[in-house]
Amino acid sequence: MAMGRNVMRAVRVFEFGGPEVLKLMTDVSVPVPKENQVLIKVHACGINPVETYIRSGTHAKKPALPYTPGSDVAGVIEGVGEHVTAFKKGDAVFTLGTVSGGYAEYTVASVDTVFSLPDKLDFKQGAAIGIPYFTAYHALFQKASAKAGETVLVHGASGGVGMAACQMARAYGLKVLGTAGTEEGMNLILKNGAHKAFNHRKKDYITRVKEFAGAEGIDVVIEMLANVNLANDLQLLSSGGRVMIVGSRGPIEINPRDTMLKESSIRGISLFSATKEEMRECAASLLAGVEAGWLKPVIGPQYPMEKVADAHKDIIHSQGALGKMVLVIR
């Protein structure tokens, strides 16, 4: 980027639609940080499924057009707005949100969504923390009230949120079961917190989960694809068991009676609805996790900005996730 011209490369969306509406522009103005904001030179940006739903226009959250997607960036502070004292130019940081969008060479973020990047993590790992780890903590502990000694089943455990849930559930003393769609994915989750892995492409995998869990059942299910799995999840639950819906791509028919005898519950999860107090708690726990060594983002497919449309296709249609997908900016 030529700083003298104050323009940068950024991905812009001018209309809602398929991945083809993601346009890489070379003449986007570099944003200017306002009060309590910072300007970040972006090195990497995490790619999250929710960004595909927003881009398609099917999500409840619809930004004004045109916009730049992306919330989870890692990079270096380039400048600060008024009243910012926590950061200075040159500081390595990661974010849980941006004001101007993360699929760009530079982004502006509110200072309360910016955190110092620990020395133990590189920029790609920093870009993998935001939505995945905050969502996993929010689901497991703030909404499901998971406790040490309980059993958790993480569906789609080889993706960003799933891997985060496995790592932290193991660190907090839960018995961790995970599902993945490939042998590689199963091996990956076993290395990242899962006590037992199941292939969710096998027809009998639900039976195997039931057999492994035993008569007591599953206390908490972290569900990434509720439109496929929810009816089965209810059959797996323990008395008082909880299903946390992190992701769903359509409707599903369930029998409410399946919740009655066990007094089980189904709860939707959205990080957008978390309170500031909840977010502060998440941040404190996750930064402690980095120090303790259990928070280790696993980086999967990496894409240059020119291939962003491919990334949006792959995150929805790939045969099986293998770590966190990231956009590499520089």
Side-chain angles (χ1 to χ4, degrees), residues 178-251:
T179 76
T182 64
E183 288 297 320
E184 288 176 288
M186 290 169 67
N187 290 331
L188 192 61
I189 64 179
L190 288 170
K191 292 176 183 175
N192 284 276
H195 292 90
K196 182 72 174 177
F198 301 88
N199 188 331
H200 57 227
R201 297 192 186 280
K202 297 283 180 68
K203 288 184 178 180
D204 66 342
Y205 92 94
I206 291 293
T207 301
R208 294 190 179 197
V209 172
K210 265 187 181 178
E211 289 172 354
F212 189 83
E216 292 186 357
I218 305 290
D219 298 298
V220 177
V221 176
I222 303 297
E223 182 52 75
M224 313 297 176
L225 197 60
N227 57 297
V228 172
N229 300 317
L230 185 56
N232 284 330
D233 291 342
L234 296 178
Q235 303 295 324
L236 295 171
L237 290 178
S238 64
S239 178
R242 298 86 81 193
V243 180
M244 299 292 114
I245 298 179
V246 173
S248 184
R249 298 179 190 170

Side-chain angles (χ1 to χ4, degrees), residues 99-165:
V99 174
S100 58
Y103 295 9
E105 291 182 317
Y106 290 82
T107 191
V108 161
S110 175
V111 73
D112 61 357
T113 63
V114 179
F115 307 91
S116 293
L117 182 66
D119 293 337
K120 294 180 179 181
L121 303 180
D122 61 28
F123 288 116
K124 293 170 190 172
Q125 289 176 306
I129 296 174
I131 284 180
Y133 280 86
F134 278 73
T135 297
Y137 186 90
H138 185 56
L140 269 172
F141 302 113
Q142 293 178 331
K143 298 305 174 187
S145 301
K147 297 177 179 65
E150 289 192 316
T151 298
V152 59
L153 171 64
V154 182
H155 274 299
S158 61
V161 177
M163 200 91 69

